[in-house]
Amino acid sequence: MKLLLTSILTFVLTVGFGQGVQKKNPIDFLPKGYVLVEQIKGDLNKDGSDDCVLVIKGTDKSKFVTDEYRGRLDRNRRGILVLFHKKGGYALVLKNYSCFSSENEDGGVYFAPELSLEIKKGNLYVSYAHGRYGYWEYTFRFQHSDFELIGYDDSDNHGPVVNSETSINFSTRKKIVKENTNYDAESGEEVFRTTVTKIHQDKLIRLSLIKDFDELDMYNY
């Protein structure tokens, strides 16, 4: 029994949980009932090798709806798979099948925010662009066997004029808010008042556990 437990522990320390199965083609990790939306590559664990992120989407026919103005819409949610490149193939290190809403949500008087993902300087960026209303972006880093939220940035705009900008660094627990005080400003004429505060965060948010990005309220910090 002691020998068996030692062997199991050695295996876990060597390959990690969820990293035992390797496949040469990232697409082979697609779960049943999902299709590929986007595939991006970049180094996420700083080993000099390109890893792979897959944005996936469900295909449940019951999630299709008929909109009065836009017709038949696919409201299946989207998810994410993160694969680390290993010698001989890829290994799954993170899965979250439904953390992103569909691209066909109701945007009210405007279109729904546009989701995009990017790998840069070893971090994973999840961004939402909302046209003339601004954007918001989440920064994740691989640590503690998951991708943890280490940063958040947003810009609240009125057309080309920036109303406010927020930047949160969860590693240093610092929040910076810049608010435009020139209410008659045109683009480039903004006058910002900057406020810096410390935030209280016991545990970092883990990407694998996010149920819905739309419900992440960064204004609570």
Side-chain angles (χ1 to χ4, degrees):
M1 176 64 72
K2 184 177 180 180
L3 180 60
L4 176 60
L5 291 176
T6 301
S7 299
I8 294 174
L9 178 60
T10 301
F11 173 79
V12 169
L13 292 175
T14 301
V15 302
F17 288 106
Q19 299 186 42
V21 178
Q22 292 193 22
K23 300 178 182 180
K24 288 189 175 182
N25 190 342
I27 308 303
D28 292 338
F29 284 95
L30 274 175
K32 185 178 180 181
Y34 288 80
V35 295
L36 178 66
V37 175
E38 183 181 12
Q39 175 177 311
I40 62 173
K41 290 190 175 183
D43 188 2
L44 285 167
N45 57 354
K46 299 180 180 179
D47 65 352
S49 180
D50 275 354
D51 305 303
C52 185
V53 175
L54 304 180
V55 179
I56 62 176
K57 181 179 175 68
T59 58
D60 186 349
K61 296 299 183 182
S62 69
K63 303 299 183 182
F64 282 70
V65 301
T66 300
D67 182 85
E68 181 180 0
Y69 302 102
R70 298 193 292 167
R72 190 74 167 163
L73 299 176
D74 179 1
R75 289 278 175 83
N76 274 283
R77 296 184 63 81
R78 294 168 291 180
I80 183 172
L81 304 179
V82 180
L83 315 170
F84 280 174
H85 185 261
K86 303 289 184 180
K87 185 178 181 180
Y90 291 88
L92 179 67
V93 294
L94 181 141
K95 61 182 178 181
N96 188 329
Y97 292 165
S98 58
C99 55
F100 307 124
S101 58
S102 79
E103 70 278 20
N104 295 313
E105 299 302 312
D106 186 359
V109 297
Y110 207 56
F111 57 79
E114 183 178 352
L115 170 68
S116 65
L117 278 72
E118 182 182 12
I119 298 172
K120 184 170 57 178
K121 296 182 179 179
N123 295 327
L124 175 63
Y125 294 84
V126 176
S127 305
Y128 286 91
H130 206 200
R132 60 191 179 93
Y133 294 116
Y135 72 89
W136 56 99
E137 180 177 73
Y138 307 89
T139 305
F140 293 89
R141 176 186 296 158
F142 183 70
Q143 52 193 28
H144 306 121
S145 301
D146 207 322
F147 280 83
E148 294 185 324
L149 181 65
I150 62 168
Y152 171 80
D153 296 273
D154 73 32
S155 180
D156 176 31
N157 295 10
H158 181 70
V161 178
V162 178
N163 295 324
S164 67
E165 294 179 334
T166 301
S167 181
I168 303 176
N169 187 320
F170 291 101
S171 297
T172 62
R173 299 186 178 184
K174 182 183 292 185
K175 178 179 180 180
I176 301 174
V177 177
K178 297 170 62 179
E179 296 179 283
N180 176 33
T181 59
N182 183 9
Y183 303 113
D184 297 323
E186 295 187 10
S187 179
E189 298 178 348
E190 299 93 341
V191 178
F192 293 103
R193 179 179 62 241
T194 301
T195 304
V196 181
T197 57
K198 295 290 288 186
I199 65 171
H200 300 283
Q201 174 81 348
D202 295 329
K203 294 182 179 180
L204 296 179
I205 295 174
R206 296 190 165 208
L207 178 54
S208 66
L209 301 179
I210 295 176
K211 293 183 178 180
D212 190 342
F213 268 86
D214 295 344
E215 295 180 357
L216 292 180
D217 189 355
M218 297 292 107
Y219 293 99
N220 286 331
Y221 295 101

